[in-house]
Amino acid sequence: MQIRDYIIRRLMILPFLIIGTSIIVFALTRIGGSPIGIYLSHEMSPAEVQEMKERFHLDKPVPIQYFYWIKGVAQGDLGWSGVASAPVIDVFPKKFAATMELAIAAGIVAVSLGIAMGTFAGARRNKFADHVIRIISVSGASMPLFWFSILLLIVFWVWLGWFPIGRSDPNLFEAIAHPTGFYTIDALLAGNLDAFKDAVWHLIMPAVALGYGATAIIARMMRSSLIEELQEDYVDAAKAKGLPKNVVLKKHARRNALVPTVTVIGLTFGFLLQGTVVAEIIFRWPGLGRWMAAAVLRGDQATIMTYVMFTSILFLIVNLIVDVVYANLDRRVELGD
Amino acid sequence: MRNILIIAHSILLGLFLTVGVNAQTIKNPGVLVHAADDEATTLDPAQVEAGEGGETVILQVYDRLLEFGPSGPELIPGLATTVPSVENGMISDDGMTYTFEIRKGAVFHDGTDVTAEDVKFSWDRIVEMDLPEGQAGVISDIVAETKVVNDYTFQVTLLEPSASFLNSTVVSMAASIVSKDAVMANGGIVEGEPNEYMAQNAVGSGPYKLKAWNRGENILLDINENYWGNKAKLAARIEIGAEPDVRVLGLRAGNYDTIETDPSFVADIEGADGVTLHTGGLLLEPIHVGFNLNIPEGALPKEDTIPTDFFHDPRIRQAFNYAFDYEAFLYGPLAGFGEFNPHYLPIGIFGHDPNAPRYGAQDKAKAEELFRAAGYWDNGFSVSVITEEANLFADAALVLKDSIEDLNPNFRINVLAVAEAVFDEAHAQNPVEYAMWVKNADPFADPHPYMSAYQHPDGEWGEVHGFANGYRNPEKIAELIDGASTELDVKKRAAMYSELQKMLFDDPMWLITAQEGVTMAYREWVTGFVHNPLWPRPSLRFSYLDK
């Protein structure tokens, strides 16, 4: 089958998969009970509770509730988030952008520091610098994120007062428009350097806390790959040709050592996204992780369903892309059979 | 490795203990930064629930006709120029009609004048919308008619004379005055449906204007330069969503000026450089254990062995009250910040009789005597108590479990600590499918709402929980509560509440674990600090504060 036909066929199946997924997600969240509790206070009378049920169609049988929900979704209404006190559709893009901005910043910290440290240590195997970097790596990989985050918070926010928590200075936030939800990008688009510096300043602490664990993983991978590469014959040949040590290291050995490291970097992005929950809670970062943690604890089903549906659809699309890329890379793979 | 961890933790603790800033360096000059417990749900007075985070903002940005002053329950003029009384002729002799002269020159944040028409519109609006999460009953249960006499005179006729109208209804956040023009231009009034604009914006006439509400981050309030009264000295920023530990750290570092906290953090705050711990006064939200006298057949958890009429017997309810270890709760979870409380009229509320008998001390012998008399001592019982997890209510439930199980090995209390949403749903059932629960009450400024909601056999909860099945004399209790609500003679009214307290000691419908003390913390550079538990939490009016 041609790739074009395969993509069309998969795209035609996609809506059915999404509807199927939505039924499963809806049923699974309802197994935990009615979501009405998130809309109530403990002083509400039974009559008031009944009115709230009617407002959110929770007085209807579950299949009818699903109908109302899917109808709302089709009209862009993802329900009301009791945790955020706002429609999910209004909140989700902002929280998603906040989390992605943090994860990307943490990724930049992890990749730049990890590769640099791994290279530095690998080139100085068993020397003092190597031992120091290994200790840093081991501590980064083994230190609980919450503990490290609190440590950073105490030292740099409370004690030294160098870095703020939260996501932005409220006055600078108000001064610019937010078309993307990524404050750094919004500030650049607005041409407001102060807002950009403020956004970066707010990012540093949570990004370092979150990126430290991944830094350690990347550095260790880079170090061991580099050590292996430095033992290869082509490195000896390059040295014998009289190439400077630095050129051999950076142009030859490091380039090859990056191949397995890049694979690890790809995997670490998932690790970073998981870590945002803890980092967002401790650094008061208004992202998806903190919102979702509160939603799970408080039974905010509209929020949970949106999140699960979002990740499910993302997974379906990514799967499709992977299939197509894989078929392109390896022509022996037959699509669609 | 273990040693390394111990050293690391020691370093962390050391850093924590050395946290502090130069008390002279005022951070965030010109802005009061308050770290709040949680997010507001709505900013609309017609939608906000009592005790909810939105009331914190409504207090600052809206005015009411009258307000509680800074030092207790005394009423001071708000948008009304005078506090009505029979003496000044603004309350009719029969106590049925109240007249309010509206302040001339007061303007809403949208620039329109505040008139009697806006006042009538605001009060009628909440009744007409009648939202289940709102507090329409605060007005509709007591007001028969609202009337605009002229542009600056507003009149209210009550359903019956009320001793609590001024200090329960008029000062309530639900009775805040909104701009009619702003509401009508943004969705108007629709019965049973929230107004989305008003939920997210505020068009009041208070000392603060809402600048921005960045959900999950902060709420920004600007000084209202056109305020009719004393202008606020500081702009305000309410920081949302910081964990309790982070709030304490932020206060110690000077990044926050005031924080909401609870007794469990007092040890972290006491003695901190530049920080003042305010512990005066008591909250008006008694923490209580409820008894269900209306248990449906077959509804209780399978572990429960009690019959459905278990709590109909007043001796059982008394026995629970005698068995509870009040000291363990007050000096444990509450860290000593609070008072033993005899019954549902908290200390500080009119009508509270300090000489009335109370269950303030554990009396195991008396509890045993009552359980024996009721016939449960030898065979014992097992009963579940449902509560929210990880808070003072759960602590109270655990103290109850220890107290009762320590009394007799045949007694068993199963504590079901669940998520807040699960508890709210369980508690909102009619009838409730649990025999016992732990929570707190809404705060009120007048004894009547406490008595009406929590003690009256036909009241809001009395009816749901079947109090008429258990009172020795339900008619007498109802007569006293109803009578006290319309009694305008202060001495007679106080005597009626005193008699009620005696009756409710013999015939308790609740177990009041304690009255929690106020534990607020603020930076020393904050001046003009006043805290009134009658204001919505955190019981601060930001306009009084400076730094």
Side-chain angles (χ1 to χ4, degrees):
Chain A
M1 186 185 286
Q2 293 288 318
I3 287 182
R4 189 197 62 192
D5 296 340
Y6 176 74
I7 292 172
I8 291 171
R9 195 176 126 188
R10 285 286 294 266
L11 286 176
M12 286 172 69
I13 296 170
L14 201 59
F16 296 101
L17 285 173
I18 291 172
I19 289 173
T21 309
S22 73
I23 292 171
I24 293 169
V25 170
F26 191 87
L28 284 176
T29 47
R30 284 296 191 272
I31 284 172
S34 166
I36 189 65
I38 190 72
Y39 306 116
L40 307 181
S41 76
H42 64 230
E43 286 300 308
M44 272 190 188
S45 68
E48 289 166 340
V49 172
Q50 184 58 29
E51 283 184 54
M52 293 300 276
K53 284 182 176 172
E54 286 167 15
R55 183 188 295 171
F56 294 103
H57 308 295
L58 297 173
D59 56 329
K60 309 277 191 308
V62 172
I64 306 294
Q65 290 179 30
Y66 172 77
F67 170 75
Y68 275 107
W69 178 69
I70 202 76
K71 185 179 156 199
V73 170
Q75 294 169 344
D77 177 6
L78 301 174
W80 181 267
S81 167
V83 168
S85 309
V88 175
I89 191 72
D90 290 352
V91 182
F92 193 88
K94 293 174 189 166
K95 304 275 186 192
F96 177 70
T99 293
M100 290 307 290
E101 189 170 35
L102 175 57
I104 290 168
I108 291 169
V109 169
V111 170
S112 52
L113 281 179
I115 290 176
M117 283 166 60
T119 306
F120 195 77
R124 290 160 185 77
R125 189 182 181 193
N126 290 334
K127 291 187 177 159
F128 179 71
D130 182 28
H131 292 312
V132 170
I133 287 173
R134 279 165 68 188
I135 288 171
I136 293 172
S137 301
V138 169
S139 64
S142 56
M143 204 183 313
L145 176 57
F146 78 89
W147 194 86
F148 183 57
S149 299
I150 292 173
L151 186 68
L152 287 182
L153 192 80
I154 290 172
V155 175
F156 293 103
W157 181 56
V158 177
W159 202 16
L160 299 173
W162 290 356
F163 298 108
I165 63 168
R167 205 179 168 200
S168 63
D169 177 288
N171 294 318
L172 290 169
F173 174 84
E174 289 296 313
I176 60 169
H178 295 277
T180 70
F182 288 72
Y183 288 5
T184 45
I185 296 173
D186 292 338
L188 288 175
L189 290 175
N192 189 326
L193 199 61
D194 287 340
F196 178 73
K197 279 195 294 194
D198 177 68
V200 172
W201 214 237
H202 279 82
L203 263 172
I204 288 175
M205 245 194 331
V208 167
L210 189 55
Y212 185 34
T215 301
I217 297 166
I218 294 168
R220 292 183 72 189
M221 189 67 205
M222 186 68 199
R223 176 187 172 276
S224 53
S225 302
L226 189 64
I227 287 170
E228 272 182 35
E229 290 299 327
L230 287 172
Q231 289 167 349
E232 294 291 330
D233 291 343
Y234 74 89
V235 172
D236 291 337
K239 283 179 184 169
K241 269 168 58 182
L243 284 176
K245 197 177 169 185
N246 216 22
V247 173
V248 174
L249 177 69
K250 289 182 179 169
K251 296 262 177 181
H252 295 273
R254 187 172 73 175
R255 178 170 289 185
N256 289 330
L258 273 173
V259 176
T261 310
V262 166
T263 313
V264 171
I265 289 171
L267 295 172
T268 11
F269 197 72
F271 166 82
L272 291 174
L273 280 176
Q274 284 172 28
T276 55
V277 177
V278 173
E280 286 177 6
I281 289 171
I282 291 175
F283 294 107
R284 221 172 57 78
W285 189 265
L288 214 51
R290 195 173 110 197
W291 185 33
M292 211 47 57
V296 170
L297 288 173
R298 292 178 56 191
D300 187 352
Q301 290 192 11
T303 302
I304 296 167
M305 282 192 297
T306 302
Y307 182 72
V308 176
M309 280 306 296
F310 175 77
T311 48
S312 303
I313 292 169
L314 201 64
F315 185 77
L316 289 171
I317 292 169
V318 168
N319 246 2
L320 172 62
I321 294 168
V322 167
D323 282 353
V324 171
V325 171
Y326 196 53
N328 260 328
L329 290 174
D330 188 345
R331 291 292 173 187
R332 289 171 299 180
V333 174
E334 290 284 329
L335 288 171
D337 295 324
Chain B
M1 188 65 190
R2 194 166 167 235
N3 287 341
I4 292 172
L5 283 175
I6 290 170
I7 292 166
H9 277 282
S10 304
I11 293 169
L12 186 62
L13 186 66
L15 288 172
F16 181 81
L17 292 175
T18 54
V19 161
V21 292
N22 185 339
Q24 304 305 314
T25 313
I26 295 178
K27 291 196 178 177
N28 302 303
V31 183
L32 180 86
V33 184
H34 172 73
D37 194 8
D38 58 15
E39 181 80 281
T41 300
T42 176
L43 303 184
D44 188 348
Q47 191 183 9
V48 72
E49 294 168 21
E52 191 264 314
E55 285 201 331
T56 307
V57 182
I58 290 172
L59 176 72
Q60 323 295 338
V61 297
Y62 285 101
D63 280 323
R64 288 137 294 277
L65 293 176
L66 304 175
E67 308 280 358
F68 285 119
S71 54
E74 86 282 3
L75 294 172
I76 60 173
L79 284 176
T81 56
T82 315
V83 179
S85 66
V86 176
E87 291 72 31
N88 65 22
M90 300 177 89
I91 302 177
S92 63
D93 288 340
D94 61 0
M96 293 288 283
T97 305
Y98 287 66
T99 304
F100 298 90
E101 293 298 334
I102 307 302
R103 193 175 295 280
K104 288 176 183 162
V107 290
F108 288 112
H109 302 154
D110 62 0
T112 57
D113 289 338
V114 178
T115 65
E117 183 60 38
D118 292 296
V119 179
K120 176 177 167 55
F121 175 81
S122 302
W123 283 36
D124 291 351
R125 174 175 175 262
I126 181 173
V127 175
E128 204 173 327
M129 288 172 78
D130 194 19
L131 299 173
E133 66 270 48
Q135 304 171 59
V138 166
I139 294 174
S140 61
D141 291 350
I142 203 164
V143 173
E145 187 190 7
T146 57
K147 187 174 157 188
V148 173
V149 178
N150 61 45
D151 279 356
Y152 292 97
T153 308
F154 172 65
Q155 206 168 67
V156 178
T157 306
L158 306 186
L159 292 163
E160 59 181 352
S162 168
S164 62
F165 173 63
L166 291 181
N167 57 10
S168 284
T169 301
V170 180
V171 294
S172 128
M173 294 305 107
S176 297
I177 310 306
V178 303
S179 161
K180 180 180 177 181
D181 289 349
V183 174
M184 295 314 289
N186 294 284
I189 300 173
V190 181
E191 186 186 339
E193 281 187 26
N195 180 313
E196 277 190 33
Y197 177 84
M198 292 299 288
Q200 299 174 49
N201 297 277
V203 192
S205 58
Y208 282 102
K209 294 193 286 189
L210 179 71
K211 182 181 179 188
W213 178 7
N214 303 309
R215 282 192 166 76
E217 293 186 69
N218 48 50
I219 295 173
L220 308 180
L221 304 177
D222 271 347
I223 296 170
N224 177 11
E225 298 293 349
N226 298 318
Y227 189 54
W228 54 266
N230 292 328
K231 288 186 186 61
K233 294 133 193 126
L234 301 168
R237 187 168 88 228
I238 301 171
E239 295 282 354
I240 299 162
E243 291 297 293
D245 305 279
V246 175
R247 292 202 295 269
V248 171
L249 284 172
L251 180 78
R252 292 175 66 125
N255 294 319
Y256 300 143
D257 296 312
T258 54
I259 63 166
E260 291 177 36
T261 186
D262 66 57
S264 60
F265 288 95
V266 166
D268 297 327
I269 295 168
E270 263 180 333
D273 189 29
V275 172
T276 300
L277 182 66
H278 173 79
T279 55
L282 297 163
L283 298 179
L284 301 171
E285 306 161 6
I287 299 172
H288 59 248
V289 179
F291 302 128
N292 192 355
L293 286 74
N294 194 22
I295 302 169
E297 285 292 343
L300 293 178
K302 64 179 187 315
E303 297 82 11
D304 289 16
T305 60
I306 59 165
T308 54
D309 62 354
F310 185 64
F311 287 117
H312 291 201
D313 187 338
R315 292 170 300 183
I316 298 285
R317 304 194 302 272
Q318 284 180 307
F320 270 86
N321 272 277
Y322 278 119
F324 188 76
D325 190 346
Y326 298 90
E327 285 200 15
F329 185 60
L330 182 58
Y331 295 108
L334 291 183
F337 293 99
E339 288 284 346
F340 302 121
N341 185 33
H343 50 72
Y344 239 112
L345 271 193
I347 299 161
I349 291 295
F350 171 81
H352 170 83
D353 183 354
N355 299 316
R358 65 177 187 174
Y359 298 97
Q362 189 181 34
D363 188 339
K364 290 184 180 180
K366 192 75 180 166
E368 179 180 339
E369 180 191 324
L370 287 159
F371 276 125
R372 281 188 188 281
Y376 285 96
W377 186 259
D378 295 330
N379 294 328
F381 59 80
S382 172
V383 60
S384 298
V385 53
I386 187 168
T387 183
E388 289 173 23
E389 61 191 351
N391 59 19
L392 283 172
F393 309 155
D395 292 337
L398 291 172
V399 172
L400 177 74
K401 177 182 174 68
D402 287 348
S403 306
I404 298 293
E405 292 183 356
D406 183 50
L407 199 63
N408 182 338
N410 293 327
F411 293 171
R412 178 103 188 129
I413 301 284
N414 312 305
V415 175
L416 307 174
V418 298
E420 184 183 353
V422 176
F423 176 82
D424 286 345
E425 189 182 1
H427 182 259
Q429 292 170 316
N430 185 11
V432 176
E433 295 183 349
Y434 293 90
M436 302 175 80
W437 57 91
V438 186
K439 66 177 188 73
N440 64 349
D442 280 344
F444 301 104
D446 187 85
H448 180 64
Y450 287 106
M451 285 294 167
S452 165
Y454 297 104
Q455 302 292 358
H456 199 294
D458 303 321
E460 183 181 357
W461 295 114
E463 192 176 359
V464 173
H465 302 322
F467 288 177
N469 297 326
Y471 276 135
R472 296 173 209 263
N473 190 348
E475 292 80 16
K476 176 71 176 168
I477 286 176
E479 185 189 319
L480 274 171
I481 293 174
D482 293 340
S485 78
T486 56
E487 177 56 65
L488 301 179
D489 184 305
V490 174
K491 280 188 181 167
K492 284 185 189 167
R493 193 171 182 230
M496 291 165 100
Y497 285 123
S498 183
E499 188 179 350
L500 269 167
Q501 285 158 66
K502 290 186 187 82
M503 290 184 74
L504 294 171
F505 174 79
D506 291 331
D507 214 354
M509 281 299 163
W510 308 89
L511 190 170
I512 311 298
T513 59
Q515 190 172 343
E516 187 184 346
V518 171
T519 47
M520 279 289 300
Y522 61 97
R523 294 296 309 183
E524 276 175 1
W525 58 53
V526 173
T527 57
F529 183 89
V530 282
H531 179 275
N532 187 344
L534 294 171
W535 294 329
R537 64 170 194 170
S539 306
L540 298 176
R541 290 202 72 155
F542 298 154
S543 58
Y544 285 103
L545 308 183
D546 198 357
K547 67 179 187 181

